[in-house]
Amino acid sequence: MEERTQNSPAAGKVLLVDDVVELCKLLQLQLEALGYCAIYRTSAADALAAMETERPDVVVTDLEMPGGGGDELCTKIVAGWPDVPVLVMTAHKSLESAVAALRAGAQDFLVKPIQAEALAHRLQRALQVKSLRSEVKRLRGTLEENRGRGGLIGASAALQRVQALVDQVASSDASVLVTGESGTGKELVARALHERGKRATGPFIAINCAALPEQLLESELFGYEKGAFTGAGASRDGLLVQATGGTLFLDEVGEMPLPMQAKLLRGLQERSVRPVGGTHEVKFDARIVAATARDLESAVEAGSFRLDLLYRLDVIHLELPPLRARGGDVLILAQHFLDGFAARAGRPVRSIAPEAAEKLLAYPWPGNARELQNCMERAVALARYDQITLEDLPAKVRDHKASQVVIAGSDASAVLPLAEIEKRYILSALELFSGNKTLAARALGVGRKTLYRKLEEYAKGAPAAGPGED
């Protein structure tokens, strides 16, 4: 039997199975011209032998062949090589043929006569699904390796840099400022700093500075003496003192009122606080980890945050990447959330279908890990099978399409001035970083003053300076 092969296939290795040799040879030539490595066999028995020796990436088989049909061959391949997708060819354009192919485990079916372009399209899709299956399997292994790392789950280079910095500074007593968009896991980082450091046996205490009015926030942080205000029936240590020997996590520190910022600054400088209604100072020894989604440098310029307090908190800076910048971590986290919700709900949902995984990877996740967590909780609740399918995902995830700049070659009016393109790109970047001008300027590679000036021009409706005029 004559075969044509390529030593270095660009698109993947395809095993063609049909008892009509001429058809096999024709499809082989057409696929090789498209960059595939194509081999063929004319019987189911020879095809099964080729699965062992040739290790194809995808199989294309006829549905009806003498000596064993394609449906039986498909069943055996799916059982023995579950990672290899199978496409079935049939001469009968009927529902029964399609059902027979899909029941046998085929990923798709084609009706003869086979068009090379249609086959290539189906092959490309099959190989994408195969790649996603392999990625999901690999990432599941990575998830197991990540268990027990203080909740910081992922394998991306962006997260690994965060992990390395956390390990490097965990044993220090220096204050840490954790920044990042809402939902990126700032409290998880704070807990990891605590649990991996020398204060791990001490308390970890968290307070949301945006959730309490100023007077209540002061009494919570500094404590109070008996009778200091109505309801103060006994003296109580503040959280700074309670966290002695451990870590105090100041979440949403950028929302703290200015008068409280001055009091906190003095306390951090002196390492002592005066309780509300008290006449003496109380020493404390707590490590401070603060977090914010706000651009504190812009807040300083706006007069809503103290520069000296920023210096005191920002001794070590940990900037968390948004989920959209973490690549395959989306699937690792999705599987992590799936396992947790399925276990709590007692549901036998174990995995994510490749098509659903593809959508999870394509969606930008403006709400970051928190939005993904909510998405997976919903998906587990709606799942009808043992895996999450496309139908289980929210419509905004399922129907998301990446935005692109498209210029029609025949329409000169579709060409935009460079200044307008720059304006749209800058505004998109600002939206991407949830209005954080410092992060947006850093990502765009321009100074913050340059970004501010351009935003002022856009607000006034003035023509934007072109890229070469800045």
Side-chain angles (χ1 to χ4, degrees):
M1 177 172 60
E2 255 186 66
E3 297 182 2
R4 299 179 182 224
T5 61
Q6 291 180 197
N7 294 327
S8 303
K13 192 172 189 178
V14 183
L15 172 60
L16 300 165
V17 188
D18 198 300
D19 59 312
V20 181
V21 176
E22 291 75 13
L23 175 61
C24 288
K25 288 183 176 180
L26 175 61
L27 291 176
Q28 182 185 51
L29 287 170
Q30 291 174 333
L31 290 178
E32 288 182 348
L34 294 171
Y36 291 90
C37 171
I39 61 174
Y40 67 84
R41 298 292 186 268
T42 56
S43 70
D46 287 344
L48 288 173
M51 292 298 298
E52 294 283 1
T53 59
E54 298 291 345
R55 301 289 182 183
D57 296 305
V58 61
V59 176
V60 181
T61 179
D62 189 19
L63 191 60
E64 298 179 3
M65 294 183 295
D71 53 351
E72 183 180 348
L73 172 62
C74 181
T75 301
K76 291 180 178 178
I77 290 175
V78 170
W81 298 269
D83 293 334
V84 178
V86 181
L87 306 182
V88 169
M89 300 181 291
T90 175
H92 306 285
K93 189 175 183 180
S94 66
L95 180 61
E96 290 77 12
S97 298
V99 170
L102 297 176
R103 280 181 177 172
Q107 180 176 306
D108 207 344
F109 77 102
L110 302 97
V111 178
K112 294 181 178 179
I114 306 298
Q115 300 295 322
E117 293 79 6
L119 176 56
H121 176 73
R122 304 290 178 86
L123 285 174
Q124 183 181 24
R125 179 63 184 161
L127 289 169
Q128 287 175 344
V129 171
K130 180 178 186 292
S131 177
L132 277 170
R133 284 175 178 165
S134 299
E135 182 69 359
V136 169
K137 185 176 180 181
R138 183 188 70 80
L139 292 176
R140 176 137 200 163
T142 302
L143 174 59
E144 296 305 319
E145 295 173 4
N146 273 254
R147 305 276 194 199
R149 293 223 62 187
L152 297 178
I153 294 173
S156 66
L159 188 68
Q160 292 306 308
R161 286 191 290 271
V162 172
Q163 293 271 27
L165 189 53
V166 167
D167 288 335
Q168 186 178 351
V169 305
S171 295
S172 169
D173 283 330
S175 297
V176 179
L177 179 63
V178 185
T179 59
E181 296 176 14
S182 178
T184 49
K186 294 184 284 295
E187 184 168 349
L188 292 177
V189 169
R191 289 185 180 276
L193 285 165
H194 174 74
E195 292 167 3
R196 299 182 199 178
K198 60 187 179 183
R199 295 174 175 266
T201 56
F204 176 88
I205 299 176
I207 182 171
N208 189 323
C209 300
L212 301 174
E214 183 179 339
Q215 290 183 339
L216 184 55
L217 180 59
E218 181 180 3
S219 63
E220 283 292 304
L221 285 175
F222 301 154
Y224 52 84
E225 296 291 341
K226 179 180 178 180
F229 50 83
T230 303
S235 299
R236 179 185 175 188
D237 288 333
L239 297 183
L240 283 161
V241 174
Q242 291 180 37
T244 290
T247 303
L248 177 63
F249 175 53
L250 302 172
D251 196 12
E252 301 291 353
V253 71
E255 307 305 318
M256 183 179 288
L258 274 170
M260 266 303 301
Q261 292 178 30
K263 295 174 183 178
L264 176 62
L265 174 63
R266 184 183 182 282
L268 295 181
Q269 288 173 336
E270 302 297 328
R271 305 304 290 178
S272 66
V273 294
R274 179 174 295 183
V276 177
T279 58
H280 62 281
E281 300 284 325
V282 180
K283 294 288 185 181
F284 69 89
D285 177 26
R287 186 186 194 177
I288 305 300
V289 179
T292 182
R294 287 189 66 188
D295 180 356
L296 291 187
E297 292 183 10
S298 297
V300 167
E301 293 182 1
S304 60
F305 201 84
R306 294 180 63 104
L307 180 61
D308 45 9
L309 179 58
L310 177 59
Y311 287 150
R312 177 63 61 177
L313 296 174
D314 195 7
V315 178
I316 298 171
H317 192 170
L318 267 169
E319 185 177 318
L320 299 190
L323 187 55
R324 59 185 169 274
R326 292 174 52 185
D329 283 359
V330 170
L331 296 186
I332 297 178
L333 281 167
Q335 186 66 55
H336 170 68
F337 294 140
L338 184 158
D339 292 343
F341 289 125
R344 284 197 287 274
R347 305 209 63 199
V349 187
R350 298 183 178 85
S351 61
I352 303 168
E355 296 82 2
E358 187 175 29
K359 289 295 184 180
L360 293 177
L361 287 171
Y363 185 68
W365 300 107
N368 293 293
R370 188 179 294 119
E371 183 183 8
L372 176 60
Q373 184 177 23
N374 292 342
C375 171
M376 296 312 296
E377 183 176 14
R378 175 189 187 276
V380 168
L382 295 178
R384 294 166 292 173
Y385 309 105
D386 62 351
Q387 64 176 197
I388 301 300
T389 65
L390 273 177
E391 290 71 25
D392 303 323
L393 300 180
K396 63 180 179 180
V397 177
R398 191 173 59 242
D399 301 333
H400 173 74
K401 290 182 175 61
S403 59
Q404 300 180 32
V405 176
V406 179
I407 299 177
S410 59
D411 185 4
S413 65
V415 178
L416 296 172
L418 284 176
E420 178 62 23
I421 294 175
E422 181 188 64
K423 174 183 175 181
R424 295 186 184 186
Y425 191 73
I426 287 174
L427 295 177
S428 296
L430 193 63
E431 182 180 358
L432 195 64
F433 287 99
S434 303
N436 190 314
K437 299 181 181 66
T438 299
L439 294 181
R442 192 175 303 161
L444 291 166
V446 299
R448 287 192 304 128
K449 290 184 178 179
T450 299
L451 179 60
Y452 291 163
R453 177 171 55 78
K454 288 184 177 293
L455 292 175
E456 288 175 1
E457 291 173 355
Y458 303 155
K460 294 175 182 176
E469 300 171 36
D470 183 27

